[in-house]
Amino acid sequence: MLRLGARSGYDIKRAVDVSTRFFWTISEAQIYPTLARLEEAELIVGHDASQGKRRKRAYELTPDGERALLDWLEDTGPLLFEVRDLGLLKLFFADALEDDAEALLGEMRDRSSRELENLRAQQGPASELALSSGNQFPFLSLRVGVAVHEAIIEATGEIAAEIKAR
Amino acid sequence: MLRLGARSGYDIKRAVDVSTRFFWTISEAQIYPTLARLEEAELIVGHDASQGKRRKRAYELTPDGERALLDWLEDTGPLLFEVRDLGLLKLFFADALEDDAEALLGEMRDRSSRELENLRAQQGPASELALSSGNQFPFLSLRVGVAVHEAIIEATGEIAAEIKAR
DNA sequence: CCGTGCATGTAAGCAGTTACATGATTTC
DNA sequence: GAAATCATGTAACTGCTTACATGCACGG
């Protein structure tokens, strides 16, 4: 995130909230200790950037940090893919429900619609970032998220139609 | 899982490994303490089902347990949806990579292909379960997983083609 | 002068994993 | 007779979240 223009912990938090949180969440309480740890390891350097009496610490990558980022990106270890989907979990057991599976499918559909809205709202800013700084992948990765939720909406719609037909 | 025919902790583990793990993982070490907790709460009852010297404990739902399952299914609280996708996370930062984004997209594609194979291999047993016991939703929920991974394969394919074209 | 946003941090706790430990039975 | 599978469990740890604590700056 520092590489993409974020400077402070607060910047990182806001950036995550509108971008990577769709496929990798972190909480605020993780950010500040992590920045301290990275500075200790000399992968980033921080300096005071307080404005008036409001304190602020701005960080940037060191050459070692840049190297570590690249090593991580180039690492060919297994690409963890983990989903926790309460909707699908309930759907799996929905035979116990007798009738209300349709309501559940509707909720899943609504949930993905809302997520689609959020994702699409981020595509504008992300494509501006692509034009202004040449970083095109934040925009491109949002497209995968869009495709996933479109697929969920389609599949749940089909299933709802089928069980209604019976 | 008890409702769908699993009897022991080991049964549950195997059932999870081929079904819900696609959208909700649990580890072995969670199962046995949880069964003990549920029995304590009288939502399930267990009895000894050892065969010869190999010990085994078989459980079934109590009426209270059946009720609790339904309450959980009918609960209209927010449907948690959380993804941890190391592939998409790396893709987000792939501008630092200069050239190797194609390799990453290929790995993501392969990963989803493997997952598709696993999901499709489970569709057979799941549709048999639907015919034999009337539980159709284990099969139907697998279809959503299939749709998601097909969407990822398509989207990453498109993106790879686009960046190649430049 | 009040609410919102900017800004940084800590403490306590919990959910879940990894690794370990043990032993019976079946299959090749 | 070795390896895989069936079967149950515990201990230690860790990654992460929730909740709390503090204070500045700015717009209405």
Side-chain angles (χ1 to χ4, degrees):
Chain A
M1 286 302 185
L2 258 24
R3 221 196 127 268
L4 292 174
R7 292 166 44 79
S8 63
Y10 193 76
D11 282 352
I12 293 171
K13 179 209 170 247
R14 273 185 316 170
V16 168
D17 276 349
V18 297
S19 57
T20 61
R21 78 156 171 96
F22 295 108
F23 37 84
W24 199 283
T25 59
I26 54 169
S27 79
E28 225 173 310
Q30 246 181 302
I31 294 175
Y32 296 104
T34 302
L35 285 170
R37 203 156 41 75
L38 290 174
E39 189 168 21
E40 172 87 35
E42 290 178 27
L43 300 177
I44 60 177
V45 270
H47 61 270
D48 186 78
S50 300
Q51 287 153 331
K53 283 189 183 173
R54 188 198 280 169
R55 72 185 171 139
K56 176 172 171 173
R57 204 167 164 74
Y59 295 90
E60 47 195 299
L61 284 173
T62 62
D64 273 7
E66 212 118 15
R67 187 68 248 157
L69 172 62
L70 258 131
D71 286 346
W72 173 72
L73 282 169
E74 284 166 355
D75 180 280
T76 55
L79 289 177
L80 175 83
F81 180 84
E82 237 181 70
V83 177
R84 294 237 145 185
D85 182 345
L86 191 53
L88 264 182
L89 185 65
K90 284 187 176 181
L91 192 66
F92 186 86
F93 298 111
D95 288 294
L97 212 43
E98 248 127 85
D99 251 15
D100 265 1
E102 272 175 70
L104 175 60
L105 287 161
E107 281 176 62
M108 287 176 71
R109 200 188 166 81
D110 292 346
R111 184 192 60 178
S112 281
S113 295
R114 281 192 301 275
E115 204 73 334
L116 264 185
E117 263 180 67
N118 293 331
L119 284 162
R120 292 205 170 112
Q122 287 318 311
Q123 287 187 310
S127 77
E128 278 164 43
L129 180 80
L131 289 167
S132 68
S133 72
N135 289 295
Q136 53 177 334
F137 284 99
F139 174 78
L140 293 173
S141 56
L142 286 175
R143 274 180 39 188
V144 182
V146 167
V148 164
H149 285 286
E150 284 175 343
I152 293 175
I153 289 174
E154 207 190 313
T156 51
E158 278 174 28
I159 293 170
E162 276 176 44
I163 61 172
K164 207 169 190 171
R166 282 173 207 170
Chain B
M1 287 302 186
L2 257 24
R3 219 196 129 268
L4 292 174
R7 291 165 44 78
S8 64
Y10 193 77
D11 282 353
I12 294 171
K13 180 210 170 247
R14 273 184 316 168
V16 168
D17 277 350
V18 296
S19 57
T20 61
R21 77 154 172 97
F22 296 108
F23 37 84
W24 199 283
T25 58
I26 55 170
S27 77
E28 226 173 310
Q30 246 181 299
I31 293 174
Y32 297 104
T34 300
L35 285 170
R37 204 157 40 76
L38 290 174
E39 189 168 21
E40 171 89 35
E42 291 178 27
L43 301 177
I44 60 177
V45 271
H47 61 270
D48 186 78
S50 300
Q51 286 154 331
K53 282 189 185 172
R54 187 198 281 169
R55 73 189 170 134
K56 175 172 172 173
R57 203 166 166 78
Y59 296 91
E60 47 195 298
L61 283 173
T62 63
D64 274 6
E66 212 118 14
R67 186 67 249 158
L69 172 62
L70 258 131
D71 286 346
W72 172 73
L73 282 169
E74 283 166 355
D75 181 279
T76 55
L79 290 177
L80 175 82
F81 180 84
E82 237 181 69
V83 177
R84 294 238 143 182
D85 182 345
L86 191 54
L88 263 182
L89 186 65
K90 284 187 176 182
L91 191 67
F92 185 86
F93 298 111
D95 288 294
L97 213 42
E98 248 127 85
D99 250 14
D100 265 2
E102 271 175 72
L104 174 60
L105 286 161
E107 280 176 63
M108 287 175 70
R109 200 188 167 80
D110 292 346
R111 184 192 59 178
S112 281
S113 295
R114 280 192 302 273
E115 204 74 333
L116 264 184
E117 260 179 69
N118 293 331
L119 283 162
R120 291 204 171 114
Q122 286 318 311
Q123 287 188 310
S127 77
E128 278 164 42
L129 180 80
L131 289 167
S132 67
S133 73
N135 289 294
Q136 52 178 335
F137 283 98
F139 174 78
L140 293 173
S141 55
L142 287 175
R143 275 180 40 189
V144 182
V146 167
V148 164
H149 285 285
E150 283 176 343
I152 293 175
I153 289 174
E154 207 191 312
T156 52
E158 279 175 27
I159 292 170
E162 278 176 43
I163 60 172
K164 206 168 191 171
R166 282 173 207 171

